[in-house]
Amino acid sequence: MSATSDTTETTGGPSLPQRRRLVTEIPGPRSRELMARKTAAVAAGVGSVMPVFARRAGGGVVEDVDGNSLIDFGSGIAVTSVGNSAEAVVRRATAQLEQFTHTCAMVTPYESYVEVCEELARLTPGDHRKKSILVNSGAEAVENAVKIARYHTRRQAVVVFDHGYHGRTNLTMALTAKNMPYKHGFGPFAPEVYRVPMAYPYRWPGGAENCAEEAAAQVVEQITRQVGAENTAAIVVEPILGEGGFIVPARGFLPRIAEFAREHGIVFVADEIQSGFCRTGQWFASEDEGLVPDLVTTAKGIAGGLPLAAVTGRAEIMDAAHSGGLGGTYGGNPVACAAALGAIETMRELDLPARARHIGEILLPRLAELAAKHPVIGDVRGRGAMVAVELVRPGTKEPDPAATAKVAAACHAEGLLVLTTGTYGNVVRFLPPLVIGDDLLHEGLDILDHALTTL
Ligand SMILES: *Cc1c(COP(=O)(O)O)cnc(C)c1O
């Protein structure tokens, strides 16, 4: 039964050998067996990018149950930025596990919850007085940001963007742009959600140079004419869009939207769930254009793989709701809080914002070289360790999701774990752990080059 136990090997984490190694075809026999059990026992709605089962992971590799070692360009969707089983995360979470596992922060609170909120106040943009709430998932953080903004403003409308992604709960499905797979068949969706254009330079009809100005003007016009700024509680935006295709909004667009929000008492919410915690080369992607959001939502990279998420923002907004109006049984679980403190310790100690910039300095020029060589690459974009290529039919901007799926499959077969994304399903994204070695990055890019060549 226990196809996965392997007592002869050492543990994962930072000590795992940092190399790609294929000892079976992908997937191997043990993964196939487990996949048959998964198909029988797990709901079909829970898909998997690669049909291999993990045994250990650490640094820049994931080892599967057949002993194959894959280069990790996904970080479990931007979560294990500090690496899997990072030393400080394991040390602190283990110590906490031995003390207590749960009391419920709403019953008898504990210091680590407060400490995480203090860190969030220090690390998020702006030096105003801030407070936080801790929850379990990114979607729950976004839900709470909307609750808080509505309570504070006594308004209902929420403005979101084309290509935006904010989660899979009922409200966050409404906030998310893409139908398939996130929304299809799951309606009806929450009301009072309004979608406006995103400044997507590569696809802006008026050209990339006019994108910021024209898109901002359209957003302001739509909110003013169709929603009413005075009815708008919040504008929710990802400073770099994740599931929508790693779109970097044209420079100047976000500051203009933030200014409009400020002028009209609208709560400006930066959804930094994917872009936050060092990923883009700064602690938060909002910093790049000097944005100071009223509220910031965080999750993914915050706790080295344990489930934790937060809303952090201006104290007067965060304090609007009555006592008992916010919370949840598990929100800010003590083990997850300990892990977050370990992850933040690691980010500081290893200067992971600098490390993310270094990764970008390797990835972006090499991807630009690949774009010159392979006309299927229409656009290369991103910042730090959040970068992507958009694939199109050569000579056009017509999205090519079939080529994208083929490239990803070819990479997977060679032991490179990459993820695809984008509204049109034609984006290959690179989200390596920030502790990955340069040699693995280069090797991964060589595999990608080969996959593009064999298209
Ligand atoms: C992943 C993600 C979410 C949802 O987070 P979950 O933890 O999956 O609920 C929300 N917003 C953005 C930008 C994300 O990338």
Side-chain angles (χ1 to χ4, degrees):
M1 269 305 282
S2 179
T4 59
S5 66
D6 188 341
T7 49
T8 62
E9 301 273 1
T10 58
T11 56
S15 60
L16 193 62
Q18 295 298 298
R19 58 162 191 271
R20 180 176 68 109
R21 184 176 69 150
L22 296 184
V23 296
T24 71
E25 61 178 346
I26 303 284
R30 285 180 160 191
S31 279
R32 284 181 201 274
E33 260 175 57
L34 287 169
M35 191 52 79
R37 282 171 54 196
K38 175 179 183 263
T39 304
V42 179
V46 184
S48 19
V49 170
M50 273 185 83
V52 300
F53 280 72
R55 177 168 62 189
R56 306 185 297 178
V61 300
V62 174
E63 190 184 275
D64 76 8
V65 290
D66 291 289
N68 299 298
S69 185
L70 316 172
I71 299 176
D72 183 9
F73 275 15
S75 301
I77 318 188
V79 169
T80 52
S81 299
V82 296
N84 255 293
S85 303
E87 185 278 327
V89 171
V90 173
R91 171 170 37 84
R92 290 191 185 231
T94 305
Q96 180 59 50
L97 274 167
E98 285 166 354
Q99 297 294 318
F100 62 94
T101 48
H102 174 86
T103 59
C104 185
M106 302 183 303
V107 177
T108 50
Y110 31 87
E111 185 175 353
S112 58
Y113 187 115
V114 178
E115 216 177 326
V116 170
C117 296
E118 289 167 348
E119 287 285 22
L120 284 163
R122 264 179 230 125
L123 294 169
T124 53
D127 48 19
H128 49 283
R129 209 160 57 85
K130 296 173 205 157
K131 294 195 178 186
S132 293
I133 171 183
L134 303 183
V135 291
N136 303 296
S137 71
E140 204 187 345
V142 175
E143 293 251 1
N144 276 282
V146 171
K147 280 172 68 172
I148 292 163
R150 282 179 169 158
Y151 204 116
H152 169 73
T153 59
R154 311 277 161 171
R155 304 173 184 174
Q156 295 187 351
V158 180
V159 170
V160 289
F161 292 80
D162 284 338
H163 311 287
Y165 179 85
H166 302 289
R168 296 167 181 265
T169 57
N170 187 261
L171 174 62
T172 58
M173 277 194 292
L175 302 179
T176 289
K178 190 177 176 179
N179 174 50
M180 197 61 164
Y182 307 124
K183 305 169 75 164
H184 185 77
F186 299 131
F189 304 111
E192 287 304 315
V193 173
Y194 300 89
R195 194 168 306 285
V196 295
M198 168 47 62
Y200 184 173
Y202 179 63
R203 295 194 176 276
W204 191 254
E209 15 9 295
N210 304 313
C211 179
E213 201 177 317
E214 290 181 10
Q218 284 190 24
V219 169
V220 167
E221 177 69 14
Q222 265 180 246
I223 296 175
T224 307
R225 303 294 158 223
Q226 299 179 21
V227 190
E230 68 279 19
N231 300 318
T232 305
I235 297 174
V236 184
V237 67
E238 299 157 86
I240 294 184
L241 283 71
E243 304 308 303
F246 280 30
I247 299 162
V248 183
R251 268 196 105 66
F253 175 73
L254 292 176
R256 176 68 194 104
I257 303 301
E259 182 191 315
F260 175 77
R262 194 164 50 244
E263 287 165 3
H264 295 278
I266 300 167
V267 177
F268 183 80
V269 183
D271 182 347
E272 292 255 18
I273 288 169
Q274 192 154 164
S275 59
F277 280 104
C278 313
R279 177 55 52 189
T280 64
Q282 289 164 304
W283 278 89
F284 293 93
S286 297
E287 293 166 43
D288 197 59
E289 291 192 83
L291 295 173
V292 179
D294 298 313
L295 302 181
V296 178
T297 54
T298 52
K300 294 198 166 92
I302 191 174
L306 275 85
L308 189 72
V311 185
T312 301
R314 295 185 187 281
E316 65 276 17
I317 300 177
M318 291 299 297
D319 275 340
H322 51 273
S323 177
L326 306 175
T329 306
Y330 292 117
N333 169 272
V335 182
C337 284
L341 295 170
I344 293 167
E345 176 188 325
T346 307
M347 292 175 202
R348 280 208 184 92
E349 245 165 42
L350 302 182
D351 192 1
L352 290 188
R355 184 64 208 157
R357 292 193 295 276
H358 173 79
I359 290 171
E361 283 158 17
I362 292 177
L363 290 179
L364 286 165
R366 277 210 62 191
L367 292 171
E369 275 171 41
L370 293 186
K373 185 170 157 191
H374 303 286
V376 71
I377 298 182
D379 195 27
V380 176
R381 56 181 178 247
R383 278 208 305 274
M386 184 171 183
V387 304
V389 292
E390 176 160 357
L391 303 192
V392 294
R393 294 191 175 282
T396 74
K397 288 192 178 182
E398 201 188 315
D400 197 341
T404 309
K406 270 191 209 157
V407 168
C411 291
H412 295 166
E414 289 304 315
L416 173 65
L417 206 176
V418 289
L419 309 174
T420 60
T421 187
T423 299
Y424 313 106
N426 67 328
V427 174
V428 184
R429 58 173 154 173
F430 309 101
L431 286 167
L434 304 180
V435 295
I436 194 172
D438 291 0
D439 49 340
L440 288 179
L441 282 177
H442 283 292
E443 193 179 348
L445 289 162
D446 293 341
I447 293 169
L448 177 71
D449 186 8
H450 185 70
L452 288 160
T453 306
T454 55
L455 255 189

